[in-house]
């Protein structure tokens, strides 16, 4: 049923609730300072309440990684995960949750064990799904960042991705949209490699593959600021965090409207979305049935 286009819809993208980072960042101890996350709990609750009030309802709510701050094996990790789950279970039951793995969820250099643990807690580290004629791909971007401890897992994801793109082509989907934690790039496709983007040769290969497959947009987090750019018709959308901000943006969520022709999105602060909901211009796009 979901292979068929049924008219415009929208979803909500959030990133980096990252329970524990705000205190760690404030005291300058990123590795051990994450023993409090009350502030993040409040922000995540505000995000859930804002989503629950929206009318019409979004098709789903995707969280693009760094669900919590504690790296695999660290002291506060289990408590952070439990507290996030407690907040998220209040999401309206008609709004499915989609989880994307981030570097704090599976480690900067993931292993089979850290990925298995993530999958037990949050679901598969990569998968695909259909909504109303649109094909969505969730990827494990850590395998592109550093797969040195599990090269076989990267290979398996690569094979799977090629198979999925062949499926998308066969079904003549309306759009293909990708979710991953680490952006391909922040502003320009040929920018230098740093902690917040993918290494240049890896990035080039993925961008070319996505371009050939006709992928319209990649949504990510990781940067804790809003950013983005485009490569040959592929839009790279980098959303700031629900949690700790590293730039001038506010804690927020992105509303993404999918129409017959295009993908339109806007970042809202949590306060804005809570108090005013989605602006008329985007609601009008949803009301236009094809």
């Amino acid at each position: 049923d979901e292979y068929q286009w049924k008219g415009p819809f929208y979803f909500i993208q959030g990133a980096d609730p990252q329970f524990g980072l705000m205190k760690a960042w404030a005291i300058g101890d990123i590795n051990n300072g994450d023993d409090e996350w009350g502030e993040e709990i409040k922000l995540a609750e505000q995000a859930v309440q804002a989503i629950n009030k929206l009318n019409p309802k979004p098709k789903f709510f995707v969280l693009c990684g760094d669900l919590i701050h504690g790296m695999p094996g660290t002291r506060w990790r289990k408590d952070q995960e439990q507290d996030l789950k407690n907040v998220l279970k209040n999401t309206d039951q008609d709004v499915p949750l989609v989880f994307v793995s981030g570097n704090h969820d599976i480690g900067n250099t993931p292993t089979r064990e850290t990925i298995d643990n993530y999958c037990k807690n949050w679901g598969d580290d990569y998968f695909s799904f259909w909504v109303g004629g649109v094909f969505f791909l969730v990827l494990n971007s850590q395998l592109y960042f550093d797969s040195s401890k599990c090269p076989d897992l990267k290979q398996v994801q690569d094979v799977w991705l090629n198979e999925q793109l062949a499926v998308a082509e066969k079904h003549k989907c309306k759009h293909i949209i990708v979710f991953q934690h680490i952006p391909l790039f922040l502003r320009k496709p040929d920018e230098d490699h740093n902690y917040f983007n993918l290494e240049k040769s890896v990035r080039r290969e993925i961008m070319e593959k996505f371009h050939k497959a006709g992928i319209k947009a990649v949504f990510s987090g990781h940067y804790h600021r809003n950013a983005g750019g485009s490569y040959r018709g592929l839009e790279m959308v980098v959303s700031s965090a629900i949690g700790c901000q590293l730039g001038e943006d506010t804690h927020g969520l992105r509303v993404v409207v999918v129409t017959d022709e295009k993908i339109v999105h806007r970042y809202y602060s949590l306060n804005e979305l809570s108090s005013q909901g989605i602006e008329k211009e985007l609601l009008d796009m949803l009301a236009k049935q094809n």
Side-chain angles (χ1 to χ4, degrees), residues 5 8 18 25 65 99-100 102 109 125 142-143 175 180 184 213 233 247 277-278:
W5 175 252
Q18 206 157 340
W25 189 259
F99 298 110
V100 181
T109 306
D125 58 322
Q142 286 316 117
L143 295 175
H175 305 289
Q180 58 187 58
L184 299 168
I278 301 173

Side-chain angles (χ1 to χ4, degrees), residues 66-285:
D66 282 2
L67 306 173
I68 48 136
H69 181 66
M71 286 279 190
T74 56
R75 185 173 173 191
W76 305 107
R77 181 179 172 91
K78 283 201 164 45
D79 292 342
Q80 290 167 359
E81 287 181 334
Q82 194 51 56
D83 283 352
L84 179 59
K85 287 179 182 180
N86 289 342
V87 172
L88 291 174
K89 70 177 184 225
N90 295 317
T91 310
D92 188 308
Q93 60 191 37
D94 295 329
V95 181
L97 293 166
V98 177
F99 298 110
V100 181
S101 61
N103 56 307
H104 282 261
D105 305 311
I106 58 176
N108 286 322
T109 306
T111 64
R112 183 176 285 278
E113 186 188 11
T114 64
I115 291 173
D116 281 350
N117 284 338
Y118 170 85
C119 293
K120 283 188 194 109
N121 256 310
W122 302 102
D124 291 341
D125 58 322
Y126 58 89
F127 55 96
S128 64
F129 61 98
W130 289 82
V131 175
V134 177
F135 192 47
F136 292 93
L137 291 161
V138 171
L139 298 179
N140 178 345
S141 55
Q142 286 316 117
L143 295 175
Y144 296 127
F145 191 80
D146 182 359
S147 63
S148 57
K149 288 188 177 161
C150 54
D152 53 326
L153 296 185
K154 178 189 182 290
Q155 207 175 352
V156 174
Q157 177 174 256
D158 287 344
V159 169
W160 172 86
L161 178 58
N162 291 337
E163 286 166 355
Q164 296 298 304
L165 294 175
V167 166
E169 189 177 20
K170 190 178 107 191
H171 281 288
K172 300 282 179 274
C173 56
K174 187 63 79 174
H175 305 289
I176 311 173
I177 295 174
V178 172
F179 300 120
Q180 58 187 58
H181 179 61
I182 300 183
L184 299 168
F185 57 89
L186 297 173
R187 305 205 183 272
K188 296 198 170 87
D190 60 351
E191 71 198 16
D192 289 339
H193 168 55
N194 62 41
Y195 174 77
F196 288 112
N197 61 19
L198 291 179
E199 194 273 316
K200 269 179 152 177
S201 63
V202 174
R203 181 196 316 166
R204 267 199 298 273
E205 190 182 329
I206 297 170
M207 289 190 311
E208 205 40 48
K209 177 181 287 194
F210 285 2
H211 165 67
K212 282 196 177 114
I215 291 171
K216 292 279 176 70
V218 177
F219 289 88
S220 70
H222 189 52
Y223 191 45
H224 295 255
R225 286 154 280 209
N226 287 309
S230 63
Y231 171 81
R232 302 178 70 187
L234 167 72
E235 189 182 8
M236 181 68 242
V237 184
V238 185
S239 293
S240 197
I242 293 170
C244 188
Q245 301 299 312
L246 301 184
E248 301 303 306
D249 295 296
T250 47
H251 310 281
L253 294 165
R254 193 172 292 277
V255 172
V256 186
V257 176
V258 183
T259 75
D260 189 21
E261 302 284 305
K262 56 190 176 178
I263 294 149
V264 182
H265 52 86
R266 175 164 172 221
Y267 186 83
Y268 289 84
S269 74
L270 294 179
N271 291 342
E272 229 181 333
L273 199 59
S274 305
S275 57
Q276 293 153 29
I278 301 173
E279 68 203 289
K280 187 174 181 313
E281 184 192 355
L282 294 183
L283 287 172
D284 286 348
M285 285 181 180

Side-chain angles (χ1 to χ4, degrees), residues 17-61:
Q18 206 157 340
F19 282 20
L21 175 59
M22 286 171 93
K23 166 141 190 245
W25 189 259
I27 65 170
D29 184 357
I30 293 298
N31 298 322
N32 308 294
D34 60 334
D35 59 348
E36 286 173 31
W37 49 91
E39 192 78 27
E40 284 101 336
I41 289 176
K42 283 194 199 117
L43 290 162
E45 284 173 344
Q46 191 183 356
V48 167
Q49 285 157 9
I51 290 168
N52 287 349
K53 284 199 321 207
L54 293 172
N55 184 23
K57 289 186 198 308
K59 286 287 187 186
F60 59 87
F61 171 29

